[in-house]
Amino acid sequence: MKSERTLVMGILNVTPDSFADGGRHFDFESAINRAKEMISEGVDIIDVGGESTRPGAERVTEEIERDRVIPVITELAKHGVKISIDTMRADTAEKAVQAGAAIVNDVSGGLSDPAMFATVKKLGVPYILMHWRGESKDMNSRAIYTDVVNDVISEINSQVDAALDAGINKSQIIIDPGLGFAKDAEHNREILRNLKAFTSMGYPVLIGASRKRFLGGDNPDEREAATIELTKTLVPQGIWGVRVHSVKPHVDVIAGAK
Ligand code: PMM
């Protein structure tokens, strides 16, 4: 999925407990209202998720996940906006694409569900393959690296190879270093200082830093300014997309950088 400029992926967590916006858009009505707001602000992609991945989060059942996301995707598809489904489950991904989603965003990079790669091959849609080392409930204990940049790149490469072996097309793949997933603040900063190593891998790169703890401040809302400052530095580095909570400031930064 090529693009001339950095794309803005707006986060729509239809969950009661995501760390930055938990509960705010949990019911159908408010999810749709928030999505409409994002569309009016110029969002490129709306990322719909029904399972929180904040540190410490427990899994929800597939049924709960689907009941949260499918009605929202079905409704949003009528508005013609591009939708990604944020899920680690192949079945949810498939049902979401049938309901109108155009991109699969898998934070587990194919590691959680053995059926994911075959499903993405069948669906033929773009696939966001994020670096992941295991479920959120205990991921912080896996934040151990010899060299975080090289280790993350080699782990992404091995999942990319597995995806290609499963028949996914190179042009479908978007990679994401997975900031905050089994990474401490310094790991995240080290990755952000070395983005060239990721952008030179030959795949579009998505960055999800929005309001994450390493940006500082106790309240996620206070991290908004730091998120916008970060986007300013990402745009000239040829980052394919930023996954963010607030849309308008990022649309403005990107337009200004053209
Ligand atoms: N972060 C979260 C959820 N999904 N997907 C991708 N591709 N990259 C990310 O960094 C990412 C993600 C967790 O953040 P949230 O709770 O604010 O959605």
Side-chain angles (χ1 to χ4, degrees):
M1 231 192 120
K2 288 226 164 58
S3 172
E4 292 300 304
R5 61 159 171 84
T6 302
L7 300 175
V8 175
M9 174 186 266
I11 301 169
L12 192 62
N13 285 323
V14 195
T15 58
D17 61 342
S18 283
F19 80 92
D21 58 354
R24 276 186 220 169
H25 315 300
F26 184 44
D27 66 281
F28 178 83
E29 272 297 293
S30 38
I32 300 300
N33 286 338
R34 175 63 192 134
K36 284 183 183 162
E37 207 169 65
M38 290 198 266
I39 294 168
S40 74
E41 290 174 351
V43 77
D44 295 297
I45 302 160
I46 296 184
D47 190 41
V48 180
E51 183 171 46
S52 171
T53 50
R54 74 180 156 74
E58 296 284 342
R59 300 293 310 265
V60 298
T61 65
E62 184 161 346
E63 197 182 3
I64 291 177
E65 183 187 35
R66 259 192 277 122
D67 287 351
R68 289 175 179 175
V69 296
I70 300 300
V72 171
I73 293 171
T74 305
E75 177 60 27
L76 286 186
K78 296 181 196 155
H79 295 266
V81 64
K82 201 179 271 291
I83 301 159
S84 55
I85 170 67
D86 186 345
T87 186
M88 298 188 260
R89 292 189 175 101
D91 259 8
T92 305
E94 180 159 5
K95 291 193 170 71
V97 170
Q98 284 161 356
I103 300 173
V104 173
N105 174 22
D106 176 8
V107 298
S108 84
L111 285 167
S112 182
D113 187 337
M116 184 59 96
F117 289 156
T119 299
V120 171
K121 172 190 155 50
K122 185 174 78 180
L123 297 171
V125 296
Y127 175 67
I128 298 166
L129 186 159
M130 199 192 83
H131 175 259
W132 189 80
R133 281 188 163 184
E135 292 187 357
S136 298
K137 62 177 183 317
D138 54 5
M139 68 181 171
N140 288 344
S141 66
R142 299 197 182 86
I144 298 164
Y145 298 88
T146 310
D147 170 334
V148 67
V149 173
N150 282 335
D151 293 355
V152 169
I153 285 178
S154 99
E155 288 166 36
I156 290 177
N157 265 329
S158 95
Q159 285 311 99
V160 165
D161 287 346
L164 297 173
D165 285 348
I168 293 178
N169 207 293
K170 187 169 190 265
S171 65
Q172 280 172 264
I173 298 175
I174 295 145
I175 56 169
D176 181 336
L179 298 177
F181 286 81
K183 291 163 197 87
D184 65 25
E186 187 46 31
H187 293 141
N188 296 321
R189 287 193 284 264
E190 183 70 8
I191 287 169
L192 288 171
R193 281 193 293 268
N194 290 281
L195 282 178
K196 189 143 198 330
F198 292 87
T199 53
S200 55
M201 286 171 74
Y203 295 91
V205 175
L206 174 71
I207 295 292
S210 190
R211 300 183 190 173
K212 286 185 179 169
R213 193 166 303 153
F214 75 95
L215 294 170
D218 289 336
N219 176 344
D221 281 336
E222 290 170 22
R223 299 176 194 148
E224 183 54 28
T227 308
I228 296 163
E229 285 308 307
L230 180 62
T231 292
K232 285 184 192 162
T233 71
L234 297 177
V235 173
Q237 298 186 73
I239 293 300
W240 172 80
V242 288
R243 182 181 179 278
V244 291
H245 295 89
S246 73
V247 168
K248 180 79 169 49
H250 298 273
V251 167
D252 290 347
V253 163
I254 293 163
K258 269 205 293 192

